Amino acid sequence: VQLQASGGGLVQAGDSLKLSCAASARTFNSYVMGWFRQAPGKEREFVAAISLSGGFTDYSDAVKGRFTISRDKAKNTMYLQMNSLKPEDTAVYFCAVGIGLSRSGYAYWGQGTLVTVSS
């Protein structure tokens, strides 16, 4: 299973950024997908998850209302639209796939993409 995360960068507080996670068709059509992040000196934390069909989503309280997770079957790609970014959103963002729509237990991980939000 290979996952390719991209779209990170340096933005200012209040800006928007959209992350992408590309997968093979087999992977995309087999797993729940999720985003996690790890800030410097902190443990990795759950950000958002989306069901296989795309009909169910889950968000951490820290990003609910600002971030939107989605998946595009035609492109075998998952997205994370991040709006109203805050400095505390600065982290390496990882995409992952798993079996159930949950906040843990993901089996395969991408390499991560760095998001830096300046104040």
Side-chain angles (χ1 to χ4, degrees):
V1 173
Q2 288 188 328
L3 301 169
Q4 183 70 39
S6 62
L10 173 62
V11 297
Q12 293 185 332
D15 285 350
S16 298
L17 203 59
K18 188 172 185 177
L19 306 183
S20 300
C21 177
S24 68
R26 182 174 181 177
T27 296
F28 187 86
N29 292 315
S30 300
Y31 294 102
V32 167
M33 302 185 78
W35 288 100
F36 292 75
R37 66 186 183 186
Q38 186 167 18
K42 295 187 177 181
E43 294 187 352
R44 186 171 60 194
E45 65 175 359
F46 169 79
V47 174
I50 187 166
S51 64
L52 190 60
S53 68
F56 296 93
T57 57
D58 184 28
Y59 297 92
S60 70
D61 289 343
V63 307
K64 192 175 297 182
R66 298 188 298 122
F67 291 10
T68 302
I69 190 171
S70 62
R71 58 193 298 166
D72 185 338
K73 187 174 182 177
K75 297 182 178 180
N76 298 323
T77 300
M78 173 181 64
Y79 301 100
L80 185 68
Q81 176 67 47
M82 305 185 295
N83 297 330
S84 302
L85 282 162
K86 304 175 182 180
E88 51 263 45
D89 294 318
T90 295
V92 177
Y93 284 71
F94 299 89
C95 58
V97 297
I99 301 300
L101 186 65
S102 70
R103 300 186 174 193
S104 62
Y106 284 72
Y108 302 101
W109 297 79
Q111 85 288 0
T113 185
L114 177 62
V115 173
T116 304
V117 185
S118 64
S119 58

